[in-house]
Amino acid sequence: MKIQIDRGRCTGIGMCEAISPDYFEVDDDGVLQLIAGEEVPETAVDEVNEAIRACPKAALSWSAS
Ligand code: SF4
C-alpha cells in the first residue's frame, strides 16, 4: 500500500512522525518527508494507518493505486 500526502492540508504538526517515526519525518523547514518512501510493507500497515488516522488535518491517506 502507498501513503499519499495532501500537501495543501499538511501543516507540519508532526503527529504522524510521533506515531510512526520510521515513515514520517518533518524536516527543518517544516515539510513532511516520507523517509522510507511511499510504499508500506504489510508488516507496517497497522502502524502507518494509525498515523494516518491521527493527523489532525486529514492530510494523509492511502493511495488508490
Ligand atoms: S500529522 Fe498531518 S499535518 Fe501533521 S505533519 Fe503529519 S501529515 Fe502533516
Side-chain angles (χ1 to χ4, degrees), residues 10-16 26 32 55-57 59-60:
C10 177
T11 53
I13 299 164
M15 204 69 139
C16 51
V26 178
L32 178 61
C55 174
K57 299 294 180 182
L60 299 172

PDB file of all heavy atoms in Angstrom, residues 10-16 26 32 55-57 59-60, ligand 1:
ATOM      1  N   CYS A  10      -1.349  19.576   4.925  1.00  0.00           N
ATOM      2  CA  CYS A  10      -0.322  19.315   5.940  1.00  0.00           C
ATOM      3  C   CYS A  10       0.292  20.616   6.442  1.00  0.00           C
ATOM      4  O   CYS A  10       0.733  21.456   5.666  1.00  0.00           O
ATOM      5  CB  CYS A  10       0.777  18.434   5.348  1.00  0.00           C
ATOM      6  SG  CYS A  10       2.128  18.131   6.511  1.00  0.00           S
ATOM      7  N   THR A  11       0.299  20.763   7.759  1.00  0.00           N
ATOM      8  CA  THR A  11       0.881  21.969   8.352  1.00  0.00           C
ATOM      9  C   THR A  11       2.142  21.642   9.150  1.00  0.00           C
ATOM     10  O   THR A  11       2.655  22.481   9.891  1.00  0.00           O
ATOM     11  CB  THR A  11      -0.144  22.658   9.277  1.00  0.00           C
ATOM     12  OG1 THR A  11      -0.640  21.701  10.210  1.00  0.00           O
ATOM     13  CG2 THR A  11      -1.301  23.225   8.472  1.00  0.00           C
ATOM     14  N   GLY A  12       2.625  20.409   9.024  1.00  0.00           N
ATOM     15  CA  GLY A  12       3.888  20.034   9.667  1.00  0.00           C
ATOM     16  C   GLY A  12       3.811  19.905  11.173  1.00  0.00           C
ATOM     17  O   GLY A  12       4.799  20.093  11.878  1.00  0.00           O
ATOM     18  N   ILE A  13       2.646  19.559  11.674  1.00  0.00           N
ATOM     19  CA  ILE A  13       2.469  19.415  13.118  1.00  0.00           C
ATOM     20  C   ILE A  13       3.290  18.253  13.663  1.00  0.00           C
ATOM     21  O   ILE A  13       3.823  18.311  14.768  1.00  0.00           O
ATOM     22  CB  ILE A  13       0.968  19.207  13.459  1.00  0.00           C
ATOM     23  CG1 ILE A  13       0.154  20.415  13.015  1.00  0.00           C
ATOM     24  CG2 ILE A  13       0.784  18.941  14.942  1.00  0.00           C
ATOM     25  CD1 ILE A  13      -1.329  20.162  12.950  1.00  0.00           C
ATOM     26  N   GLY A  14       3.376  17.189  12.874  1.00  0.00           N
ATOM     27  CA  GLY A  14       4.253  16.084  13.232  1.00  0.00           C
ATOM     28  C   GLY A  14       3.635  14.980  14.068  1.00  0.00           C
ATOM     29  O   GLY A  14       4.341  14.151  14.624  1.00  0.00           O
ATOM     30  N   MET A  15       2.318  14.958  14.161  1.00  0.00           N
ATOM     31  CA  MET A  15       1.639  13.867  14.875  1.00  0.00           C
ATOM     32  C   MET A  15       1.989  12.531  14.224  1.00  0.00           C
ATOM     33  O   MET A  15       2.209  11.528  14.913  1.00  0.00           O
ATOM     34  CB  MET A  15       0.127  14.102  14.796  1.00  0.00           C
ATOM     35  CG  MET A  15      -0.638  13.452  15.886  1.00  0.00           C
ATOM     36  SD  MET A  15      -0.290  14.262  17.429  1.00  0.00           S
ATOM     37  CE  MET A  15      -1.927  14.279  18.092  1.00  0.00           C
ATOM     38  N   CYS A  16       2.028  12.508  12.932  1.00  0.00           N
ATOM     39  CA  CYS A  16       2.341  11.273  12.205  1.00  0.00           C
ATOM     40  C   CYS A  16       3.747  10.790  12.559  1.00  0.00           C
ATOM     41  O   CYS A  16       3.977   9.598  12.752  1.00  0.00           O
ATOM     42  CB  CYS A  16       2.216  11.494  10.697  1.00  0.00           C
ATOM     43  SG  CYS A  16       3.109  12.927  10.072  1.00  0.00           S
ATOM     44  N   VAL A  26       9.194  15.324   9.837  1.00  0.00           N
ATOM     45  CA  VAL A  26       9.043  16.726   9.459  1.00  0.00           C
ATOM     46  C   VAL A  26      10.447  17.332   9.447  1.00  0.00           C
ATOM     47  O   VAL A  26      11.160  17.301  10.458  1.00  0.00           O
ATOM     48  CB  VAL A  26       8.136  17.475  10.458  1.00  0.00           C
ATOM     49  CG1 VAL A  26       8.022  18.943  10.071  1.00  0.00           C
ATOM     50  CG2 VAL A  26       6.749  16.830  10.511  1.00  0.00           C
ATOM     51  N   LEU A  32       6.882  17.766   5.550  1.00  0.00           N
ATOM     52  CA  LEU A  32       6.818  16.339   5.846  1.00  0.00           C
ATOM     53  C   LEU A  32       7.531  15.529   4.765  1.00  0.00           C
ATOM     54  O   LEU A  32       7.282  15.708   3.580  1.00  0.00           O
ATOM     55  CB  LEU A  32       5.354  15.894   5.948  1.00  0.00           C
ATOM     56  CG  LEU A  32       5.132  14.407   6.209  1.00  0.00           C
ATOM     57  CD1 LEU A  32       5.751  13.990   7.534  1.00  0.00           C
ATOM     58  CD2 LEU A  32       3.658  14.072   6.164  1.00  0.00           C
ATOM     59  N   CYS A  55      -3.699  12.177  12.071  1.00  0.00           N
ATOM     60  CA  CYS A  55      -3.394  13.506  11.522  1.00  0.00           C
ATOM     61  C   CYS A  55      -4.579  14.445  11.742  1.00  0.00           C
ATOM     62  O   CYS A  55      -5.674  14.210  11.239  1.00  0.00           O
ATOM     63  CB  CYS A  55      -3.080  13.412  10.032  1.00  0.00           C
ATOM     64  SG  CYS A  55      -2.871  15.042   9.285  1.00  0.00           S
ATOM     65  N   PRO A  56      -4.368  15.527  12.486  1.00  0.00           N
ATOM     66  CA  PRO A  56      -5.473  16.453  12.779  1.00  0.00           C
ATOM     67  C   PRO A  56      -5.959  17.231  11.552  1.00  0.00           C
ATOM     68  O   PRO A  56      -7.020  17.831  11.584  1.00  0.00           O
ATOM     69  CB  PRO A  56      -4.877  17.386  13.823  1.00  0.00           C
ATOM     70  CG  PRO A  56      -3.406  17.282  13.679  1.00  0.00           C
ATOM     71  CD  PRO A  56      -3.115  15.926  13.128  1.00  0.00           C
ATOM     72  N   LYS A  57      -5.188  17.230  10.492  1.00  0.00           N
ATOM     73  CA  LYS A  57      -5.561  17.959   9.280  1.00  0.00           C
ATOM     74  C   LYS A  57      -6.105  17.043   8.182  1.00  0.00           C
ATOM     75  O   LYS A  57      -6.388  17.504   7.081  1.00  0.00           O
ATOM     76  CB  LYS A  57      -4.340  18.727   8.732  1.00  0.00           C
ATOM     77  CG  LYS A  57      -3.785  19.769   9.684  1.00  0.00           C
ATOM     78  CD  LYS A  57      -4.789  20.880   9.882  1.00  0.00           C
ATOM     79  CE  LYS A  57      -4.238  21.931  10.843  1.00  0.00           C
ATOM     80  NZ  LYS A  57      -5.222  22.989  11.087  1.00  0.00           N
ATOM     81  N   ALA A  59      -4.517  15.080   6.372  1.00  0.00           N
ATOM     82  CA  ALA A  59      -3.648  15.278   5.210  1.00  0.00           C
ATOM     83  C   ALA A  59      -3.090  13.971   4.655  1.00  0.00           C
ATOM     84  O   ALA A  59      -2.475  13.961   3.585  1.00  0.00           O
ATOM     85  CB  ALA A  59      -2.479  16.194   5.587  1.00  0.00           C
ATOM     86  N   LEU A  60      -3.320  12.886   5.383  1.00  0.00           N
ATOM     87  CA  LEU A  60      -2.749  11.601   4.957  1.00  0.00           C
ATOM     88  C   LEU A  60      -3.851  10.640   4.555  1.00  0.00           C
ATOM     89  O   LEU A  60      -4.935  10.620   5.135  1.00  0.00           O
ATOM     90  CB  LEU A  60      -1.937  10.988   6.107  1.00  0.00           C
ATOM     91  CG  LEU A  60      -0.741  11.802   6.596  1.00  0.00           C
ATOM     92  CD1 LEU A  60      -0.155  11.163   7.847  1.00  0.00           C
ATOM     93  CD2 LEU A  60       0.318  11.914   5.511  1.00  0.00           C
TER      94      LEU A  60
HETATM   95  S1  SF4 B   1       0.214  14.869  11.325  1.00  0.00           S
HETATM   96 FE1  SF4 B   1      -0.745  15.588   9.442  1.00  0.00          FE
HETATM   97  S2  SF4 B   1      -0.431  17.797   9.416  1.00  0.00           S
HETATM   98 FE2  SF4 B   1       0.995  16.899  10.880  1.00  0.00          FE
HETATM   99  S3  SF4 B   1       2.884  16.558   9.721  1.00  0.00           S
HETATM  100 FE3  SF4 B   1       1.718  14.660   9.683  1.00  0.00          FE
HETATM  101  S4  SF4 B   1       0.533  14.813   7.785  1.00  0.00           S
HETATM  102 FE4  SF4 B   1       1.238  16.864   8.265  1.00  0.00          FE
END
